[in-house]
Amino acid sequence: MEIVIETPNSPRKRKGANWEKYGWMYMRISGAVLIVLIFGHLIVNLWDKGVGAIDFAFVAGKWTNPFWQVWDVLMLWLAMIHGTNGMRTITNDYAEKEWVRKTLNVSLWVVCAALIILGTLVATTFDPCIDPNAVNYLPTVCK
Amino acid sequence: MAKLPAGTLYRGKVGMWSWVLHRITGVAIFFFLLVHILDTSLVRVDPEAYNSVMATYKTVIIGFGELGLVAAILFHAFNGVRIILIDFWRKGFKYQNLMFWIVVAIAFILFAGFAPRHLMHVFSYNH
Ligand code: HEM
């Protein structure tokens, strides 16, 4: 198959919304926001007290605070869509058969949607009191 | 890649290697994120199950994996800024080569600050 590549800066001829352009913008805007969200996440979870301190009580301490729930849900959505759209770029580059490319891309977005829904539900419906010990470290929340 | 492209834009210089690294780190972070959402979801199911999965994150071997993950994120994040500057800053293209080495330097300095502290956390946990 002969591939014809248009002059890179030639104006777009197709009509309608330019989704590739919005995707391109999204990668850059979400990337900029993710720097703040991911670096903050790593500083609080990995740098401050270290991996050794991460357990259910640690998560309960963060997710009884709406600030960290909003932080984490925002990070989840931005990173999953950024990562999935980046993976789509890569499958578009390497998948040679059209049906392979389509199947991979549809799978990517299905996984993306499933994990965004799962993660959002987990973070927003989190209940620290399912831990019987929670009365000890969250006496005002769990009685 | 089965066929060689007829003419290649990337000829083994900084422009190509930064792109290769950006792609590899992006994929690595993506797959970690999939696992990370699933393991975190255990907090909604069972505190003990969550704690036992977290215990594997605290082992020495996975501790070194976390160093790799942080290195990948540092490079991807700062090289992402470099890409944004190349696209939106008028002089970005002119300085793309210099900016790559600045990215490497910043990522390296932050990594050098993080790695000993992280290893201390990991080894003191496993004492
Ligand atoms: C820390 C902040 C981040 C910044 C500043 C950032 C920035 C960028 C930029 C500017 C691009 C290029 C998009 C393009 O060429 O059109 C990109 C691509 C990509 N990013 Fe990120 N990103 C970040 C975090 C992440 C995360 C958390 C993931 C994984 C979930 C990820 C996965 C990817 C992938 C897979 C690509 C596609 C690579 C390619 O096309 O070769 N990035 N990123």
Side-chain angles (χ1 to χ4, degrees):
Chain A
M1 189 173 77
E2 195 188 338
I3 297 169
V4 182
I5 300 172
E6 287 173 56
T7 318
N9 61 354
S10 61
R12 185 182 147 91
K13 289 184 207 80
R14 261 194 296 162
K15 287 198 184 73
N18 189 346
W19 288 103
E20 283 306 329
K21 178 177 153 186
Y22 297 137
W24 187 92
M25 286 303 294
Y26 176 83
M27 291 306 276
R28 280 140 187 84
I29 294 166
S30 63
V33 181
L34 279 169
I35 290 185
V36 178
L37 295 176
I38 293 177
F39 280 52
H41 180 72
L42 291 176
I43 289 167
V44 172
N45 292 31
L46 267 192
W47 171 265
D48 191 18
K49 296 197 198 75
V51 255
I54 303 176
D55 58 7
F56 185 87
F58 178 88
V59 178
K62 282 185 90 179
W63 280 357
T64 40
N65 183 345
F67 176 82
W68 289 115
Q69 286 179 303
V70 171
W71 184 293
D72 288 347
V73 169
L74 196 61
M75 187 165 62
L76 168 75
W77 283 68
L78 288 175
M80 273 309 296
I81 295 171
H82 177 106
T84 304
N85 196 48
M87 293 297 287
R88 183 186 66 93
T89 305
I90 297 173
T91 57
N92 286 348
D93 275 357
Y94 298 128
E96 297 201 347
K97 293 197 179 68
E98 181 62 9
W99 70 267
V100 175
R101 192 184 71 84
K102 278 256 165 63
T103 311
L104 286 172
N105 287 350
V106 170
S107 316
L108 279 170
W109 290 112
V110 169
V111 170
C112 177
L115 286 175
I116 284 180
I117 292 167
L118 174 69
T120 306
L121 285 173
V122 167
T124 52
T125 69
F126 178 70
D127 175 11
C129 308
I130 63 171
D131 180 5
N133 299 318
V135 277
N136 300 324
Y137 52 82
L138 293 170
T140 49
V141 183
C142 311
K143 292 200 179 73
Chain B
M1 277 176 289
K3 300 177 206 98
L4 270 180
T8 177
L9 290 164
Y10 298 105
R11 294 168 191 271
K13 296 231 173 82
V14 157
M16 172 179 135
W17 291 110
S18 66
W19 168 80
V20 169
L21 272 178
H22 197 81
R23 182 158 276 196
I24 292 172
T25 52
V27 174
I29 302 164
F30 176 76
F31 281 111
F32 168 74
L33 179 57
L34 301 187
V35 176
H36 189 42
I37 294 168
L38 292 173
D39 66 57
T40 305
S41 297
L42 286 173
V43 297
R44 191 61 264 237
V45 184
D46 177 13
E48 280 190 23
Y50 179 73
N51 288 346
S52 69
V53 170
M54 279 304 111
T56 63
Y57 275 99
K58 302 167 189 178
T59 60
V60 173
I61 292 175
I62 303 294
F64 279 98
E66 282 142 14
L67 284 184
L69 176 68
V70 168
I73 291 171
L74 287 172
F75 176 81
H76 191 97
F78 293 116
N79 192 57
V81 175
R82 172 177 162 271
I83 295 174
I84 294 169
L85 286 173
I86 293 171
D87 291 335
F88 289 106
W89 178 36
R90 232 176 323 133
K91 300 208 173 111
F93 180 73
K94 193 173 151 200
Y95 293 117
Q96 67 85 15
N97 194 67
L98 173 66
M99 284 196 292
F100 174 77
W101 295 108
I102 294 174
V103 164
V104 171
I106 295 175
F108 184 81
I109 290 168
L110 291 180
F111 182 77
F114 171 77
R117 186 182 168 96
H118 179 68
L119 290 177
M120 264 161 55
H121 283 141
V122 169
F123 281 106
S124 70
Y125 183 83
N126 290 283
H127 53 275

